[in-house]
Each structure stands twice: as structure tokens, then as C-alpha cells.
Amino acid sequence: MTAVAAAETFRFGGMLRRLPSAVSESAQNAYGYARGGRKRLQPVGMTIDHDDVALARSLLRRQSAWRDREPVRRYEQAFAEWNGSAHAFAFMGGRKALTACIEALELLPGDEVIVPGFTCVLVPNALRFAGLRPIYCDIELDTYGPDLDSVRSRIGPRTRAILLQHLFGLVSRDYEAIIALAAERGLRVIEDCAQATGAKFKGRRVGTLGDVAFYSSERSKVYSTIVGGIAVTDNEKIADRLRRCATEWPAPSDDQVRRLLTSVIYDYFRFGHRLSPILEPLARIRFDWAVSENMSDAELAGSMPDDYRTTMAAPIAALGLNQLRKFDANLSRRIAGANAWRDWCLSQGYRPPTVVDGSEPVFLRYPVLVPPEMKADVSWARRLGVVPGVWFRTNIHPVPEPVPDCPNADRAVACCINMPTILEPR
Ligand SMILES: *Cc1c(COP(=O)(O)O)cnc(C)c1O
């Protein structure tokens, strides 16, 4: 989904149409680069480095091993251990991991799930594909998580679960209270940790307090395998059903795997290389064929893609393992970036996001509420050397689905921008 944000800057498809903007952006990058460091425009915080490229190249040469399930099992085990979860299962995307969570909780058609009215359409889509009804609740503006009182007000006789979302790498303010409310009302909690992989609350990673949780390693998330997702649980029954999805669903086609591995190289040259400002337009021309959209128009419009249910491919799991090893090093970079944005907020009179007591955010992005006109046109940020993220520009990004009675979510749609926290290539 956040690749959609990237696509706003880098229009996928139609190379000729795109080329002029590629050149002008690159010229600005080169200008900033020549002036040294900070002025380099950085639309996406990148965790793909040279060693990931070397790995992707070697994986591209070993196609005969792409169907091996062993690397996937190793990745799942490593993730579970690192996350402090009893079980982890890998899929080809966060939304697919969410689909497995829905199946594992045995939610039934017509059941209602409470979802924050400030999210990406692929979250309610995963619910609707399973015949469930998303019921939107409001968020709070401290951490952009679901608001406890609003969640409570949405509970009805058909409510079965709450989708507890952690955005921007922050730990949601009402985390514990919503878990307690769900327990009291006999509701399941699905944690959406797609943007907060690795964040901690009272020493435990997010995703370990709910019944089941999912994570994403889509290219713009906390760590990147270009596309990827994981579902975790401590519950043995839920784990059995997740395992069934992970073993029975098909793996992606070799063609898709080839595109993804090539995209690792592409992303590195676009964003991660010291000379990216110069290499980027060349990389666009050379690797354009490999780029696939994160969400097709059909999926945006609410129809389920044919390859929606897919388990993780072995080479993607190998990338995931390599990215996990570098997690802490990248987190230090993000924390340094977040500290810089915090100082910037204070100096400009903006309120920094809240780090709730006992939480250790991973600062995927640094969200800030600015006047609506500053979100409508973010070109003012060029002097800061960044391209702010504008997700979400509609409540159910990027579609105009109306969300009644969610004033805070509406305010975030109008005013919340997010700054990249990895500001320099390695
Ligand atoms: C990215 C994202 C997802 C889905 O992840 P994919 O890997 O793109 O399918 C779900 N929820 C939120 C909040 C996200 O940011």
C-alpha cells in the first residue's frame, strides 16, 4: 500500500510519461547531493543495502532452489524467536497474512470487525473478501491508533473482532485498554503491525498481546523484502489453522519471484546507493519491467486478485532473514531520524507524536499534524531535503470510501503528513 505513496512520486507504468519527472527529480537530487548530504531528497526510507543486492543476484542464479520450503521454515522460526511469538507463518504480503488470520480465527460471513477509519483499503478488502463487515471506528491523534471510546461505541451483537492497528512504527496509545476491552466482551483481537514490526511495549514486541497479528515487509515498511508478510500467534489452535494456510496455499510464480528479486536491485539503485541521485534514471530504464504495482486497479476497486492466497517463496524468505539480521542497525538510524524530526517539530511549534509510557517505537515514519494547505501541497518540504509521505489522503486510502462519525480520522486525513526517518543512504 505505501508503495502507492511511492507511486505518487514515481508513477509506475508509462515510462515516457514518467521520464521528464524522473529527470527533474534526479536533477534536484544531484543538486542537493552536490551541496552535501542533508539536502538529498529521500521519498522512501530504505533498508535495502549492497548485501541484499548481492543476495538477490545469487538467488536469481539458483532458480532450481526456489521451490525449496526449508528457507521459509527457517525464516518463520527466526521471526518467531526474534518476535517472542510461539508461532510465525510467512505469506506473500501483509494482506495475505491478514487473510490467513481471518481464516484461523474462524470468523464467519456476516461477522463484524471493528477497523480504524484511517487505514489502507486492503485491510477492509481482506475482511470483505472473507464475507466480513468492517465497522469503522475513530482514531486518537496522539499515536493514530484506534480510540478506545470509539471502539467501545461500535461494539454490537454481530461484532466478533477488533483490528488493532499500530501506525508509523508507534505503539498505539490505547493498546492495553483495547486488549482488556476485547477480553471483557469476548472479542478477538487482530493486531495490524504492518507498519510497526519490532516495536515494543513493556519489553514485548507488538503483536504478542492480541490473539493473532500480522506484519509486512513490503518495500516501504520497517524492513523490506519488496513484498512479504507474516502472521504470528501464541495460541496452538490458531497456529494449526495458520499452518494449514501456509502449507496448502500455493507459492507465487517464478515470474513473480524474478520480478521481486530484480526489484531489490532496482530499489537499491533508486534509493539506497550513495550515487542514487545519478543512477536513478538509468535504473528506471534498465529495470522498469520488474516493477509490479502493489495494488492492481481491480484490487483497489474491491475485487479479489487470482493470486491472493499465496505463501512465501523461498528466495523472499532468504531476503527476510538477511533483513532481520540488520534490524537493530536500521532501527538506530530511524531513532536518530525521529529525534531530528522531534527537534524540528518543537522548533516549528508542531506537536510531536506521543511515545506512550513503556513503549519503544520503531519510527517507520514521523507523523506530524500540519495545516491542511501544507498537506495539500508538500513542496515546501523540499528545502528540508525530504518528500513527506501524505498517506493517508482519504480515510480508506486511496479510495474515497466515506467513514461516518470519525472526526479525528478526518483531521488526520486533512493534516497528517509523515516524514521519512532514514535520511541518508548507508
Ligand atoms: C502495508 C499495510 C498493510 C498490508 O501490507 P501488504 O504487505 O502491503 O499487504 C496493512 N495494514 C497497514 C496499516 C499497512 O500499512
Side-chain angles (χ1 to χ4, degrees), residues 1-2 93-96 119-120 122-123 165-167 192 194-195 214-218 221 228-229 294 392:
M1 53 140 271
T2 40
R95 73 202 76 172
K96 299 167 187 197
T119 191
C120 179
L122 50 84
V123 173
Q165 181 174 267
H166 305 278
L167 281 186
D192 179 344
Q195 296 191 11
F214 70 96
Y215 306 79
S216 171
S217 55
E218 190 264 345
K221 302 296 166 81
N294 190 31
F392 305 120

mmCIF file of all heavy atoms in Angstrom, residues 1-2 93-96 119-120 122-123 165-167 192 194-195 214-218 221 228-229 294 392, ligand 1:
data_model
loop_
_atom_site.group_PDB
_atom_site.id
_atom_site.type_symbol
_atom_site.label_atom_id
_atom_site.label_comp_id
_atom_site.label_asym_id
_atom_site.label_seq_id
_atom_site.Cartn_x
_atom_site.Cartn_y
_atom_site.Cartn_z
ATOM 1 N N MET A 1 0.803 -1.220 0.000
ATOM 2 C CA MET A 1 0.000 0.000 0.000
ATOM 3 C C MET A 1 0.827 1.256 0.000
ATOM 4 O O MET A 1 0.584 2.164 -0.759
ATOM 5 C CB MET A 1 -0.927 0.046 1.187
ATOM 6 C CG MET A 1 -0.228 -0.148 2.503
ATOM 7 S SD MET A 1 -0.869 0.908 3.751
ATOM 8 C CE MET A 1 0.138 2.316 3.532
ATOM 9 N N THR A 2 1.854 1.294 0.873
ATOM 10 C CA THR A 2 2.633 2.519 0.881
ATOM 11 C C THR A 2 3.444 2.649 -0.384
ATOM 12 O O THR A 2 3.955 3.704 -0.669
ATOM 13 C CB THR A 2 3.507 2.618 2.126
ATOM 14 O OG1 THR A 2 4.035 1.329 2.375
ATOM 15 C CG2 THR A 2 2.701 3.067 3.313
ATOM 16 N N GLY A 93 2.675 -11.267 1.477
ATOM 17 C CA GLY A 93 2.120 -9.942 1.725
ATOM 18 C C GLY A 93 1.385 -9.886 3.048
ATOM 19 O O GLY A 93 0.863 -10.906 3.529
ATOM 20 N N GLY A 94 1.366 -8.670 3.626
ATOM 21 C CA GLY A 94 0.649 -8.471 4.879
ATOM 22 C C GLY A 94 -0.823 -8.802 4.733
ATOM 23 O O GLY A 94 -1.442 -9.418 5.604
ATOM 24 N N ARG A 95 -1.408 -8.399 3.595
ATOM 25 C CA ARG A 95 -2.856 -8.620 3.414
ATOM 26 C C ARG A 95 -3.179 -10.107 3.341
ATOM 27 O O ARG A 95 -4.241 -10.544 3.713
ATOM 28 C CB ARG A 95 -3.333 -7.869 2.160
ATOM 29 C CG ARG A 95 -2.897 -8.499 0.859
ATOM 30 C CD ARG A 95 -2.906 -7.527 -0.285
ATOM 31 N NE ARG A 95 -1.755 -6.628 -0.227
ATOM 32 C CZ ARG A 95 -1.418 -5.772 -1.178
ATOM 33 N NH1 ARG A 95 -2.163 -5.650 -2.252
ATOM 34 N NH2 ARG A 95 -0.359 -5.006 -1.065
ATOM 35 N N LYS A 96 -2.218 -10.882 2.838
ATOM 36 C CA LYS A 96 -2.429 -12.329 2.746
ATOM 37 C C LYS A 96 -2.259 -12.974 4.121
ATOM 38 O O LYS A 96 -2.980 -13.911 4.471
ATOM 39 C CB LYS A 96 -1.486 -12.920 1.711
ATOM 40 C CG LYS A 96 -1.791 -12.303 0.354
ATOM 41 C CD LYS A 96 -0.766 -12.535 -0.712
ATOM 42 C CE LYS A 96 -1.157 -11.693 -1.940
ATOM 43 N NZ LYS A 96 -0.492 -12.123 -3.145
ATOM 44 N N THR A 119 -7.051 3.993 7.423
ATOM 45 C CA THR A 119 -6.276 2.799 7.083
ATOM 46 C C THR A 119 -6.200 2.666 5.573
ATOM 47 O O THR A 119 -6.677 3.524 4.831
ATOM 48 C CB THR A 119 -6.891 1.535 7.739
ATOM 49 O OG1 THR A 119 -5.993 0.432 7.624
ATOM 50 C CG2 THR A 119 -8.217 1.158 7.090
ATOM 51 N N CYS A 120 -5.593 1.582 5.142
ATOM 52 C CA CYS A 120 -5.464 1.323 3.719
ATOM 53 C C CYS A 120 -6.592 0.387 3.287
ATOM 54 O O CYS A 120 -6.957 -0.530 4.021
ATOM 55 C CB CYS A 120 -4.115 0.685 3.452
ATOM 56 S SG CYS A 120 -3.872 0.292 1.733
ATOM 57 N N LEU A 122 -6.741 -2.075 1.563
ATOM 58 C CA LEU A 122 -6.530 -3.520 1.501
ATOM 59 C C LEU A 122 -6.832 -4.202 2.830
ATOM 60 O O LEU A 122 -7.016 -5.424 2.855
ATOM 61 C CB LEU A 122 -5.127 -3.850 0.968
ATOM 62 C CG LEU A 122 -3.924 -3.174 1.573
ATOM 63 C CD1 LEU A 122 -3.497 -3.919 2.800
ATOM 64 C CD2 LEU A 122 -2.833 -3.113 0.536
ATOM 65 N N VAL A 123 -6.942 -3.432 3.912
ATOM 66 C CA VAL A 123 -7.352 -4.032 5.190
ATOM 67 C C VAL A 123 -8.846 -4.379 5.162
ATOM 68 O O VAL A 123 -9.202 -5.548 5.319
ATOM 69 C CB VAL A 123 -6.970 -3.120 6.376
ATOM 70 C CG1 VAL A 123 -7.550 -3.648 7.674
ATOM 71 C CG2 VAL A 123 -5.451 -2.988 6.466
ATOM 72 N N GLN A 165 -4.638 -1.473 15.112
ATOM 73 C CA GLN A 165 -3.602 -1.052 14.172
ATOM 74 C C GLN A 165 -2.573 -0.160 14.868
ATOM 75 O O GLN A 165 -2.932 0.712 15.633
ATOM 76 C CB GLN A 165 -4.308 -0.290 13.044
ATOM 77 C CG GLN A 165 -3.460 0.235 11.925
ATOM 78 C CD GLN A 165 -4.333 0.833 10.814
ATOM 79 O OE1 GLN A 165 -4.699 0.172 9.856
ATOM 80 N NE2 GLN A 165 -4.680 2.105 10.952
ATOM 81 N N HIS A 166 -1.298 -0.418 14.600
ATOM 82 C CA HIS A 166 -0.206 0.447 15.075
ATOM 83 C C HIS A 166 0.383 1.132 13.845
ATOM 84 O O HIS A 166 0.922 0.455 12.973
ATOM 85 C CB HIS A 166 0.881 -0.367 15.763
ATOM 86 C CG HIS A 166 0.391 -1.240 16.889
ATOM 87 N ND1 HIS A 166 0.171 -0.767 18.169
ATOM 88 C CD2 HIS A 166 0.072 -2.559 16.928
ATOM 89 C CE1 HIS A 166 -0.246 -1.757 18.945
ATOM 90 N NE2 HIS A 166 -0.326 -2.853 18.210
ATOM 91 N N LEU A 167 0.282 2.459 13.780
ATOM 92 C CA LEU A 167 0.729 3.159 12.571
ATOM 93 C C LEU A 167 2.061 3.865 12.761
ATOM 94 O O LEU A 167 2.420 4.262 13.877
ATOM 95 C CB LEU A 167 -0.310 4.205 12.152
ATOM 96 C CG LEU A 167 -1.555 3.723 11.403
ATOM 97 C CD1 LEU A 167 -2.382 4.930 10.960
ATOM 98 C CD2 LEU A 167 -1.223 2.839 10.220
ATOM 99 N N ASP A 192 -2.742 -5.296 13.673
ATOM 100 C CA ASP A 192 -2.139 -4.900 12.399
ATOM 101 C C ASP A 192 -0.816 -4.209 12.707
ATOM 102 O O ASP A 192 -0.779 -3.033 13.070
ATOM 103 C CB ASP A 192 -3.087 -3.973 11.629
ATOM 104 C CG ASP A 192 -2.495 -3.507 10.302
ATOM 105 O OD1 ASP A 192 -1.268 -3.645 10.108
ATOM 106 O OD2 ASP A 192 -3.264 -2.990 9.465
ATOM 107 N N ALA A 194 1.650 -4.034 10.494
ATOM 108 C CA ALA A 194 2.312 -3.879 9.191
ATOM 109 C C ALA A 194 3.323 -2.741 9.196
ATOM 110 O O ALA A 194 4.350 -2.817 8.545
ATOM 111 C CB ALA A 194 1.271 -3.647 8.094
ATOM 112 N N GLN A 195 3.036 -1.676 9.959
ATOM 113 C CA GLN A 195 3.947 -0.528 9.994
ATOM 114 C C GLN A 195 4.784 -0.479 11.271
ATOM 115 O O GLN A 195 5.502 0.498 11.490
ATOM 116 C CB GLN A 195 3.146 0.786 9.872
ATOM 117 C CG GLN A 195 2.423 0.931 8.545
ATOM 118 C CD GLN A 195 1.867 2.335 8.331
ATOM 119 O OE1 GLN A 195 2.186 3.267 9.064
ATOM 120 N NE2 GLN A 195 1.033 2.493 7.321
ATOM 121 N N PHE A 214 -0.386 -9.609 12.339
ATOM 122 C CA PHE A 214 0.341 -9.724 11.070
ATOM 123 C C PHE A 214 1.282 -8.552 10.879
ATOM 124 O O PHE A 214 1.093 -7.472 11.450
ATOM 125 C CB PHE A 214 -0.612 -9.905 9.881
ATOM 126 C CG PHE A 214 -1.414 -8.680 9.538
ATOM 127 C CD1 PHE A 214 -0.990 -7.814 8.539
ATOM 128 C CD2 PHE A 214 -2.593 -8.393 10.192
ATOM 129 C CE1 PHE A 214 -1.723 -6.679 8.206
ATOM 130 C CE2 PHE A 214 -3.340 -7.266 9.873
ATOM 131 C CZ PHE A 214 -2.896 -6.414 8.883
ATOM 132 N N TYR A 215 2.319 -8.804 10.083
ATOM 133 C CA TYR A 215 3.407 -7.866 9.812
ATOM 134 C C TYR A 215 3.598 -7.817 8.304
ATOM 135 O O TYR A 215 3.189 -8.730 7.594
ATOM 136 C CB TYR A 215 4.708 -8.340 10.481
ATOM 137 C CG TYR A 215 4.542 -8.607 11.958
ATOM 138 C CD1 TYR A 215 3.963 -9.797 12.402
ATOM 139 C CD2 TYR A 215 4.920 -7.660 12.906
ATOM 140 C CE1 TYR A 215 3.775 -10.043 13.749
ATOM 141 C CE2 TYR A 215 4.743 -7.896 14.261
ATOM 142 C CZ TYR A 215 4.163 -9.093 14.679
ATOM 143 O OH TYR A 215 3.976 -9.328 16.014
ATOM 144 N N SER A 216 4.249 -6.757 7.833
ATOM 145 C CA SER A 216 4.511 -6.634 6.403
ATOM 146 C C SER A 216 5.981 -6.303 6.168
ATOM 147 O O SER A 216 6.575 -5.538 6.931
ATOM 148 C CB SER A 216 3.633 -5.538 5.801
ATOM 149 O OG SER A 216 4.024 -5.260 4.469
ATOM 150 N N SER A 217 6.550 -6.878 5.114
ATOM 151 C CA SER A 217 7.894 -6.472 4.685
ATOM 152 C C SER A 217 7.822 -5.922 3.266
ATOM 153 O O SER A 217 8.738 -6.084 2.474
ATOM 154 C CB SER A 217 8.876 -7.640 4.789
ATOM 155 O OG SER A 217 8.398 -8.760 4.063
ATOM 156 N N GLU A 218 6.687 -5.277 2.963
ATOM 157 C CA GLU A 218 6.533 -4.565 1.696
ATOM 158 C C GLU A 218 7.630 -3.499 1.633
ATOM 159 O O GLU A 218 8.129 -3.050 2.669
ATOM 160 C CB GLU A 218 5.121 -3.965 1.646
ATOM 161 C CG GLU A 218 4.711 -3.385 0.316
ATOM 162 C CD GLU A 218 4.932 -1.896 0.229
ATOM 163 O OE1 GLU A 218 5.131 -1.254 1.280
ATOM 164 O OE2 GLU A 218 4.925 -1.369 -0.880
ATOM 165 N N LYS A 221 8.070 -0.583 4.206
ATOM 166 C CA LYS A 221 7.811 -0.841 5.630
ATOM 167 C C LYS A 221 9.123 -0.875 6.433
ATOM 168 O O LYS A 221 10.168 -0.516 5.930
ATOM 169 C CB LYS A 221 7.028 -2.139 5.794
ATOM 170 C CG LYS A 221 5.696 -2.158 5.041
ATOM 171 C CD LYS A 221 4.717 -1.108 5.557
ATOM 172 C CE LYS A 221 3.550 -0.876 4.618
ATOM 173 N NZ LYS A 221 2.475 -1.820 4.705
ATOM 174 N N GLY A 228 5.938 -9.045 1.107
ATOM 175 C CA GLY A 228 6.023 -10.130 2.087
ATOM 176 C C GLY A 228 5.192 -9.839 3.321
ATOM 177 O O GLY A 228 4.881 -8.687 3.616
ATOM 178 N N GLY A 229 4.808 -10.893 4.037
ATOM 179 C CA GLY A 229 4.027 -10.720 5.253
ATOM 180 C C GLY A 229 4.168 -11.932 6.154
ATOM 181 O O GLY A 229 4.545 -13.014 5.694
ATOM 182 N N ASN A 294 1.742 -2.593 -6.240
ATOM 183 C CA ASN A 294 1.410 -3.271 -5.000
ATOM 184 C C ASN A 294 -0.085 -3.567 -4.937
ATOM 185 O O ASN A 294 -0.507 -4.489 -4.266
ATOM 186 C CB ASN A 294 1.838 -2.396 -3.822
ATOM 187 C CG ASN A 294 1.745 -3.140 -2.517
ATOM 188 O OD1 ASN A 294 1.929 -4.350 -2.475
ATOM 189 N ND2 ASN A 294 1.434 -2.431 -1.467
ATOM 190 N N PHE A 392 -2.484 9.063 5.102
ATOM 191 C CA PHE A 392 -3.494 8.751 4.077
ATOM 192 C C PHE A 392 -4.204 10.032 3.662
ATOM 193 O O PHE A 392 -4.462 10.881 4.495
ATOM 194 C CB PHE A 392 -4.499 7.738 4.630
ATOM 195 C CG PHE A 392 -3.820 6.484 5.165
ATOM 196 C CD1 PHE A 392 -3.973 6.114 6.494
ATOM 197 C CD2 PHE A 392 -3.024 5.704 4.342
ATOM 198 C CE1 PHE A 392 -3.357 4.961 6.983
ATOM 199 C CE2 PHE A 392 -2.415 4.545 4.830
ATOM 200 C CZ PHE A 392 -2.575 4.178 6.150
HETATM 201 C C1 LIG B 1 1.136 -2.078 4.345
HETATM 202 C C2 LIG B 1 -0.006 -2.243 5.261
HETATM 203 C C3 LIG B 1 -0.808 -3.399 5.250
HETATM 204 C C4 LIG B 1 -0.664 -4.527 4.258
HETATM 205 O O1 LIG B 1 0.585 -4.932 3.933
HETATM 206 P P1 LIG B 1 0.949 -5.527 2.477
HETATM 207 O O2 LIG B 1 2.210 -6.271 2.759
HETATM 208 O O3 LIG B 1 1.143 -4.359 1.569
HETATM 209 O O4 LIG B 1 -0.151 -6.407 2.017
HETATM 210 C C5 LIG B 1 -1.824 -3.486 6.168
HETATM 211 N N1 LIG B 1 -2.051 -2.518 7.063
HETATM 212 C C6 LIG B 1 -1.316 -1.398 7.113
HETATM 213 C C7 LIG B 1 -1.602 -0.374 8.161
HETATM 214 C C8 LIG B 1 -0.271 -1.211 6.217
HETATM 215 O O5 LIG B 1 0.460 -0.095 6.277
#
